[in-house]
Amino acid sequence: MGNRVSDVIIIGGGIIGMLTARELHHAGVEVLVIERGPLGGESSWAGGGIISPLYPWRYSQSVNQLAEISKQIYPGLAKQLQHESGVDCELITSGLLYTDVEEQQVAESWAKEWSVELHTVTDAEHIHQIEPRVNDTIDCGLWLPDIMQIRNPKLVKAMKGSFDTLGIRYLEQTPVTELNIDAGVIRGIKTAAESFNTDKVIIAGGAWSAGFIKYAKNVAVEPVKGQMIMFKGEPGLIRRMVLSSGHYIIPRKDGRVLAGSTLERTGFNKTITDDANVELRRAAVEIIPALADMEIERQWAGLRPGTEQGIPYICRHPEIDGLYINAGHYRNGVVLGAASANLMAEMVLGLSLSLDPAPYALDAVH
Ligand SMILES: Cc1cc2nc3c(=O)[nH]c(=O)nc-3n(C[C@H](O)[C@H](O)[C@H](O)COP(=O)(O)OP(=O)(O)OC[C@H]3O[C@@H](n4cnc5c(N)ncnc54)[C@H](O)[C@@H]3O)c2cc1C
């Protein structure tokens, strides 16, 4: 079959690939996203959609600056996506209540540094005013009222709808099998059926990215399985996201409540397990006892693109001209994604960069 041509080819149609495609499209670039399965069918579908790292004060500046930029972008982006696709991504400011307060001081200084509203709550009555359904034994916490959430399956559906409206090209069910590199310069990619010519390729393959960036030494993106369960709740019964000792609950607009998540290094394996079901349910009921009476409607797993410190690769390949990487967002691909896409687009377009790229380079610590 003959070669087909695009300005930029993006390998992987998860949230990272799709957000990057939108950025480039808006700059007038002809983009083609090539996705092995359905668009947004992997980690980007499976996540919780909390628009914040779980304990942001435990992360580096480089993660926090992407998160803070993305937080500014999401309200406008969600509106734009709804306009373009007719899909409401259910972006809501439900706030996040932390019931572990061992890190109170470090959390307070982080909040001050990043101008995030944070309240230290020291009495049970106030905690129960914030979220009346939390366990009666909880009598102190940290309350971040401005933290948003977005509903992942709706976000990826809206993104796909926006591609159709805007005319952003994509191929689904089409694995990229090879990069075509000649004398250190990218010439295109191959799928089982076709080759595509281009002088710019972006790897946004999530947990599968390492296979394509094997050309570089010390690249480490590995799959980290996360299982979740979903309770069939009633709208308004639980209003706030709550995080306790690494376990969280996320109430959606329609009353469903997500409880997550496991962290499992078991390779490219998305099997759901009874052990995880029991553990996630136990932790969720401990946070919100009323969940004990609710049916678990669904359980699923996704593969996060894991990096050691959760710092993504957003960079140009140092040895292969025209090859770029936007991958390795680990637990925070939704919250970091919008800012990452912005920075990636600036790199591809040769614009001046709005952030120091050093922490996201291939040879940096990730
Ligand atoms: C349980 C769970 C909870 C989470 N909660 C949150 C949260 O609350 N907030 C948050 O910000 N993040 C969260 N995350 C993390 C977030 O979902 C990920 O960081 C993000 O989805 C990564 O996006 P991605 O596009 O890099 O990866 P993916 O969504 O995995 O997309 C990569 C795509 O590349 C495709 N691909 C791979 N190889 C090829 C190939 N050879 N050819 C073509 N296509 C290919 C794959 O099919 C896939 O669709 C969570 C993740 C999980 C699993």
Side-chain angles (χ1 to χ4, degrees), residues 10-18 33-54 74 148-150 152 156 171 173-178 190-191 203-209 212 224-228 241 248 250 252 258-262 300-306 326-337:
I10 299 179
I11 304 175
I15 178 105
I16 300 299
M18 288 196 279
V33 176
I34 308 186
E35 166 55 49
R36 194 190 48 187
L39 284 183
E42 292 288 351
S43 191
S44 298
W45 176 90
I50 304 173
I51 313 282
S52 171
L54 289 183
Y74 267 104
M148 298 175 285
Q149 57 158 297
I150 200 159
N152 295 52
V156 295
L171 294 173
Q173 311 300 341
T174 310
V176 172
T177 52
E178 230 178 285
K190 287 184 188 155
T191 68
I203 294 169
W208 295 267
S209 299
F212 286 106
V224 181
K225 177 161 83 170
Q227 298 193 52
M228 292 262 241
M241 295 188 283
Y248 53 81
I250 307 172
R252 299 299 199 202
L258 270 57
S261 61
T262 63
W300 66 85
L303 298 176
R304 308 176 185 91
N326 195 0
H329 296 72
Y330 196 21
R331 305 195 75 176
N332 299 306
V334 177
V335 55
L336 307 184

Side-chain angles (χ1 to χ4, degrees), residues 3 75 164 219 267 275 324 359:
N3 288 347
D164 293 332
V219 164
D275 283 357
Y324 297 80

Side-chain angles (χ1 to χ4, degrees), residues 197-219:
N197 288 343
T198 182
D199 56 6
K200 290 189 180 73
V201 170
I202 302 173
I203 294 169
W208 295 267
S209 299
F212 286 106
I213 43 183
K214 63 190 172 199
Y215 308 94
K217 292 185 188 91
N218 306 327
V219 164

Side-chain angles (χ1 to χ4, degrees), residues 235-252:
L237 187 72
I238 299 160
R239 303 201 313 256
R240 309 301 187 188
M241 295 188 283
V242 187
L243 178 57
S244 186
S245 309
H247 285 96
Y248 53 81
I249 62 123
I250 307 172
R252 299 299 199 202

